[in-house]
Amino acid sequence: MATESVLHPSLIVPIGHVEPVPRRIRGMVAGRVVFDTRRALYVWEWQAYPQFSIPVEDLVDGELRDDGHMEQLGAGPAHRHTLQVGPEVREGAAWVWGEGAPGALHDTVRFEWEALDTWLEEDEPVFVHPRSPYSRVDALRSNSRVRVELDGVVLAEADNCVKLFETGLPTRYYLDPATIDWTRLRHSDTVTRCPYKGTTSSYWSFDSDAASHEDIAWTYDFPTAHVHRIAGLTAFYNEHVDLYIDGFLLPKPADADRTSADQ
């Protein structure tokens, strides 16, 4: 019987790639509109996901002040700017693309994500970073049997699961709460956000006789609509537990140092 491979579809978009965004994009600071555009661009400064680049002409309340500092970003050279929105000042919040960047980016600005209080696609908030138009996230019911072990302790056993397939990441196996040994797990205050799945409700850690393992599992009680099947289910990091699928131990993904934002 063939086992599921740890291989997963790779990210295909090259660094420096630029595409139009077919959505209205707005950014806000302290309740004021920094920009409002229907002409935003996706720009890939690294392969995993894009950033928004905004035409300077589409700034509303936002004003930019050149910091006199230039850096080579993923897509080319850019000049750092401070953003002022009314009385609010956000140092080093923006990058205006310079000569040597792709031509489509000229006269556009890329904002540091955390420098703005709110990002909106149409009328819906976006968290962490823009969603890539080339990434898929699918949550599918499966009758695959799942067993989770760590340091020789069985943490979960299930006769079925919901498999979450996300471009560029290992498959995640979401389990019904009744299949998990909660007496072995310790609740964590960690919270992470994902632009595709939403905001986590809980994280879970495990203390064995051998070691403490922090944040090895997570739950989304209220995920985004398109992955509603994982609501209330819990997944364990393939990278940090022994995960058996239909009786076969999955090799751990090579990139075992992924952050919790990459669930």
Side-chain angles (χ1 to χ4, degrees):
M1 176 180 177
T3 63
E4 291 191 51
S5 172
V6 294
L7 297 177
H8 43 267
S10 61
L11 301 164
I12 63 172
V13 184
I15 294 172
H17 187 63
V18 178
E19 289 283 3
V21 178
R23 312 173 187 204
R24 182 187 183 189
I25 305 298
R26 284 173 289 167
M28 302 183 73
V29 167
R32 294 172 178 257
V33 178
V34 179
F35 60 82
D36 185 345
T37 185
R38 290 177 171 83
R39 302 184 297 162
L41 297 170
Y42 291 118
V43 53
W44 277 262
E45 296 181 36
W46 42 85
Q47 276 197 301
Y49 53 84
Q51 296 289 338
F52 292 131
S53 203
I54 309 299
V56 173
E57 290 182 350
D58 291 342
L59 269 63
V60 180
D61 287 338
E63 297 182 7
L64 299 176
R65 182 172 66 248
D66 195 335
D67 292 345
H69 174 79
M70 191 272 285
E71 284 189 21
Q72 185 76 23
L73 304 183
H79 299 271
R80 190 181 67 198
H81 285 63
T82 290
L83 171 67
Q84 181 159 359
V85 187
E88 293 285 327
V89 176
R90 304 288 166 93
E91 302 285 344
W95 296 89
V96 176
W97 298 99
E99 292 297 325
L105 295 179
H106 292 176
D107 300 319
T108 70
V109 53
R110 194 271 281 166
F111 291 94
E112 296 289 343
W113 194 266
E114 297 299 328
L116 274 60
D117 297 338
T118 304
W119 291 81
L120 296 171
E121 286 188 352
E122 298 297 338
D123 292 325
E124 296 192 5
V126 186
F127 303 110
V128 187
H129 60 74
R131 292 182 283 258
S132 172
Y134 299 119
S135 292
R136 287 193 58 150
V137 182
D138 298 305
L140 304 179
R141 292 187 298 270
S142 172
N143 64 4
S144 287
R145 293 177 290 110
V146 180
R147 186 167 85 253
V148 180
E149 295 184 9
L150 186 55
D151 292 344
V153 177
V154 176
L155 300 179
E157 284 192 278
D159 291 331
N160 52 64
C161 62
V162 172
K163 295 181 182 180
L164 190 133
F165 303 94
E166 184 171 348
T167 303
L169 292 177
T171 302
R172 302 304 189 190
Y173 302 83
Y174 282 81
L175 308 179
D176 188 277
T179 67
I180 296 171
D181 186 353
W182 296 107
T183 66
R184 299 284 190 172
L185 298 179
R186 167 170 50 86
H187 187 265
S188 165
D189 292 330
T190 299
V191 176
T192 60
R193 289 178 168 181
C194 170
Y196 303 100
K197 299 182 289 293
T199 301
T200 55
S201 307
S202 298
Y203 265 83
W204 309 93
S205 302
F206 171 59
D207 300 314
S208 72
D209 293 337
S212 291
H213 304 274
E214 300 297 325
D215 294 339
I216 61 169
W218 65 89
T219 303
Y220 287 95
D221 284 338
F222 304 101
T224 56
H226 60 284
V227 292
H228 65 92
R229 286 175 175 154
I230 68 171
L233 307 185
T234 298
F236 290 81
Y237 272 113
N238 310 30
E239 297 89 336
H240 304 312
V241 301
D242 295 323
L243 189 61
Y244 293 83
I245 305 300
D246 293 325
F248 292 90
L249 176 63
L250 291 188
K252 288 183 172 60
D255 44 357
D257 61 346
R258 287 185 181 274
T259 67
S260 56
D262 293 329
Q263 306 141 343

